[in-house]
Amino acid sequence: MIFKEQTSSNQPFIVRLHEDYARYCEWLRSQPSAVHLKRAQRYRLTQFISFAERSFRNYKDVSAPETLKDRFAGDYLDYLQYFLKARPSTVNKALNTINQFYEFVGIEPLRLDREDLPSLQPQALTLSQLDAFLSGAKSCDSIKHKAVALAVATTGIRASECIALNIGDYDADAGLLTIKPSEFEGSRV
């Protein structure tokens, strides 16, 4: 059992979290970030503080506030990952939000590692999926949308490369489409 309903024995740290959270929210309102990002950050911090309040763990053996903040955050991230089965990206967002909060308060960042995000390999369409996609593209009324869909489906071009195409990149006489280089590789034909 991770929680108990009564107040935690880590009260001084919790009181400071609440005070700092109020100041952080005022500061956050003045930032140029998107409204939904600010709401997400407030929500993540509220969840973290709520976790700290309800935690039954006793951190009396921890004397330094720097170590205490790492222990609280580490336990919270474990709770997200193992009890709530949160995805690595969710755990990393929580870690980033807590780090930003600690930076605002003037505490050094957490000494915790980010979760490894699985690398997803691109997936090719099956032949039946490709046929359905091409028939949908051919029935499209917009010439621009039809051209983009056909280019993506028949050339293997990446979506970002397709977005960067211009009329001059296509040589109708030679039947060649020149794809501009990305920052990591050269031009492709």
Side-chain angles (χ1 to χ4, degrees):
M1 178 75 147
I2 288 194
F3 298 122
K4 65 178 181 179
E5 292 303 318
Q6 62 203 33
T7 305
S8 170
S9 63
N10 307 298
Q11 200 60 30
F13 184 76
I14 306 294
V15 169
R16 181 171 174 207
L17 279 178
H18 278 288
E19 292 168 354
D20 292 337
Y21 175 73
R23 288 187 311 112
Y24 178 80
C25 287
E26 284 299 316
W27 171 80
L28 195 59
R29 282 188 194 98
S30 69
Q31 297 306 301
S33 304
V35 174
H36 68 279
L37 176 63
K38 293 176 188 180
R39 183 176 53 243
Q41 288 175 308
R42 286 192 311 268
Y43 175 78
R44 288 183 197 117
L45 283 175
T46 301
Q47 294 301 328
F48 170 62
I49 293 169
S50 176
F51 174 85
E53 287 175 326
R54 297 178 308 169
S55 175
F56 78 90
R57 294 203 184 198
N58 188 345
Y59 297 100
K60 287 183 180 176
D61 62 322
V62 179
S63 57
E66 295 298 314
T67 307
L68 181 61
K69 60 125 175 120
D70 284 337
R71 295 271 297 274
F72 263 122
D75 287 346
Y76 176 63
L77 296 174
D78 286 346
Y79 168 74
L80 286 177
Q81 184 176 10
Y82 298 111
F83 289 94
L84 295 184
K85 307 288 186 210
R87 290 180 288 176
S89 61
T90 302
V91 175
N92 288 339
K93 288 175 188 174
L95 179 60
N96 288 341
T97 300
I98 294 167
N99 269 334
Q100 183 186 32
F101 174 67
Y102 282 167
E103 182 181 337
F104 170 80
V105 172
I107 301 174
E108 73 177 55
L110 295 170
R111 293 174 289 214
L112 301 173
D113 293 330
R114 293 175 55 88
E115 290 297 312
D116 288 332
L117 297 175
S119 175
L120 300 176
Q121 297 299 319
Q123 305 245 336
L125 297 176
T126 64
L127 288 177
S128 62
Q129 291 171 329
L130 183 59
D131 286 340
F133 181 79
L134 288 173
S135 67
K138 289 176 183 173
S139 65
C140 184
D141 292 334
S142 168
I143 294 173
K144 178 175 77 172
H145 294 147
K146 186 184 297 188
V148 167
L150 291 173
V152 169
T154 59
T155 65
I157 189 173
R158 297 179 187 112
S160 60
E161 294 169 333
C162 191
I163 290 168
L165 287 175
N166 291 314
I167 298 288
D169 295 332
Y170 178 65
D171 181 354
D173 296 332
L176 294 176
L177 181 64
T178 302
I179 300 168
K180 292 183 178 71
S182 71
E183 61 182 276
F184 303 110
E185 56 190 44
S187 294
R188 298 188 302 153
V189 178

